[in-house]
Structures are given as C-alpha cells and as structure tokens.
Amino acid sequence: MEDSSLFQMPLAEVMSTQRAIRKVDPDRPIDDAILLKLIEFGTRAPSSMNKQSWEFIIVKDPTVKAKLGSQNRFMWNRVKGIMTRKAEKDPQFAKVNSATQWGVDHFENYPGMIVACFQGPRLAYPPVVGASVYGSILPSVQNILLAARSIDLGATFTTMPLWSNWRARRILGLPWSITPCVLITLGWPQGKYGPTSRKPVGEVTSLDQYGNRPWKT
Ligand SMILES: Cc1cc2nc3c(=O)[nH]c(=O)nc-3n(C[C@H](O)[C@H](O)[C@H](O)COP(=O)(O)O)c2cc1C
C-alpha cells in the first residue's frame, strides 16, 4: 500500500493518544492492504536474537470469529464477578469493565482481528525465558497498535479469547509449536474517545532504589 498520506501522525501524538477502542463500526470493513501494512510494521519490532519468531493470523471467517467470541465470553463470565466487585470501589475500573463487557458482547462484529503468535517452545525455566518469549512478540503487537492509532483505526489488545491456548490452537489450526499470545480487535471507531488515564511518571519511577521517588509531586 503506497498511500503516502497514511501513517503520518507524529510519533509523540500516536503514543500519547493510543488507547483501547472497542466501539467500532461493524459494517465498515478494513482493507487487506491496511491489515498487511499493520503486520509489516509489527515485523519491524525487535525480537530475541532477531529470530522474528512471530506468526500473525488475520481472522475473517465468521465461524472462526464466533468460536473465539465464545472463548472470550466464557472467560469474561468467569472473571466478571470479581471485576464487578472491584468496580464498586473504583469508578475508573468500572469504566474499563463496561467497555470490556461491550467488547465481549460485540466481539463477533469486529471487522478486523489479528492474532499474534509466538513460534517456538515456551520453556518454563529459567524465568528469563518468559521475558524472551513474550518479549519477542509484544513489541510487534505494540507496533501494530501504534500504527493503527496513527490512521485513526481503533484497536484493542485482548487476551481473554486466547485464555486456553489449547482451544485457540484448535480454532486457528495452529500446531503445538505455535503459541497464540494476543488477539488485536480492529475497526473504525464509533463516537469520540477522550484521553487515556495513566499514573503520573513520578509515581512509577524510582531513583537508584525502589521507592525513592524524587519526581513524585
Ligand atoms: C495484557 C493485557 C490483556 C488485556 N486483555 C484484554 C481483554 O481480554 N479484553 C479487553 O477488552 N481488553 C483487554 N486489554 C485492554 C485493557 O483493558 C486496556 O488496555 C486498558 O484498560 C487501558 O485502556 P485505555 O488504553 O483505553 O486507557 C488487555 C490489555 C493488556 C495489556
């Protein structure tokens, strides 16, 4: 895709405005060229030893979407009670909850879905292997989220539809050697989205020793 007007948003703006967009227009499709360009940006990310051990599945088939949607709903129904109790004490959490519920209810209608997978064994030991496995796929996912944001395409990072790797593998026809990690839902946003709410930098940054927070105001 060579439309030079696309993907031109300044990086700082992209990074500071990217957020989970769940309410999208179900009837407005996303061109394959855009989906492939997003994945191409994904493949520009770092990976352990530059092994580029990723595999991306674009999901279009309504039957496959329905099966993933049912997995998503299954997991959400298991955790919803805990989330609802948490939301009673935290209005911010309540917002995430109701947005997540919306995403679960309308999952099958997302015009675009990309499942980002890791290729290779996922050993349990030593602990750094975990960092190397997920560290080899999550930067590519973030690139895709940022690239989507830069063209005003809504995207959400989701894991619940893949809660059972075993089931997700069966649904997507993945061999055992491939681990589905993140499902990104995509679509053109409906309505307006405000800014993200994030903790101030000074609250999450220490100097030299954990808890020494000179930048906290
Ligand atoms: C590891 C991880 C797992 C997530 N899983 C889900 C999910 O299964 N379903 C969902 O709707 N959102 C999921 N999210 C999206 C988060 O809820 C969202 O990024 C967060 O609430 C911030 O939203 P905001 O960017 O709109 O402020 C996940 C995000 C991350 C990083």
Side-chain angles (χ1 to χ4, degrees):
M1 189 183 45
E2 292 306 327
D3 183 346
S4 58
S5 65
L6 288 176
F7 303 106
Q8 296 303 312
M9 189 182 280
L11 183 61
E13 186 184 347
V14 173
M15 289 192 296
S16 43
T17 59
Q18 194 283 325
R19 62 172 306 181
I21 304 286
R22 298 182 180 85
K23 289 190 183 171
V24 304
D25 184 346
D27 300 319
R28 192 174 157 201
I30 308 165
D31 289 348
D32 282 0
I34 288 187
L35 294 172
L36 293 172
K37 189 71 190 171
L38 295 180
I39 293 174
E40 189 185 323
F41 282 125
T43 63
R44 293 302 178 265
S47 59
S48 171
M49 309 289 289
N50 195 25
K51 281 190 279 189
Q52 303 175 46
S53 29
W54 37 56
E55 175 75 30
F56 300 93
I57 318 276
I58 294 175
V59 180
K60 290 192 185 188
D61 183 342
T63 312
V64 177
K65 285 185 183 176
K67 287 181 183 168
L68 291 167
S70 142
Q71 293 305 304
N72 197 29
R73 206 158 288 122
F74 177 89
M75 183 38 72
W76 177 241
N77 288 337
R78 296 287 159 306
V79 296
K80 197 158 103 174
I82 304 166
M83 301 299 180
T84 308
R85 279 192 291 283
K86 271 185 122 177
E88 280 160 13
K89 297 181 195 127
D90 181 347
Q92 197 55 46
F93 203 84
K95 278 190 189 170
V96 178
N97 247 6
S98 69
T100 303
Q101 178 73 59
W102 201 96
V104 170
D105 292 342
H106 298 83
F107 184 88
E108 289 80 1
N109 299 333
Y110 283 102
M113 290 181 195
I114 297 175
V115 183
C117 309
F118 175 77
Q119 287 186 348
R122 196 173 43 137
L123 306 174
Y125 195 82
V128 74
V129 172
S132 149
V133 168
Y134 289 105
S136 287
I137 192 72
L138 297 181
S140 74
V141 170
Q142 183 67 3
N143 271 10
I144 292 174
L145 296 178
L146 293 173
R149 167 65 195 116
S150 77
I151 56 167
D152 288 325
L153 178 64
T156 298
F157 182 126
T158 77
T159 48
M160 284 194 304
L162 310 174
W163 71 272
S164 161
N165 276 184
W166 180 77
R167 285 169 196 262
R169 281 193 189 99
R170 282 190 56 172
I171 293 169
L172 296 165
L174 297 170
W176 279 103
S177 56
I178 297 193
T179 302
C181 297
V182 179
L183 186 153
I184 304 166
T185 57
L186 295 155
W188 302 102
Q190 272 184 338
K192 291 254 173 283
Y193 276 79
T196 53
S197 70
R198 299 290 188 261
K199 294 177 186 171
V201 176
E203 267 183 34
V204 295
T205 310
S206 299
L207 175 64
D208 297 326
Q209 297 282 302
Y210 171 74
N212 177 30
R213 302 201 190 277
W215 298 285
K216 188 171 170 182
T217 50

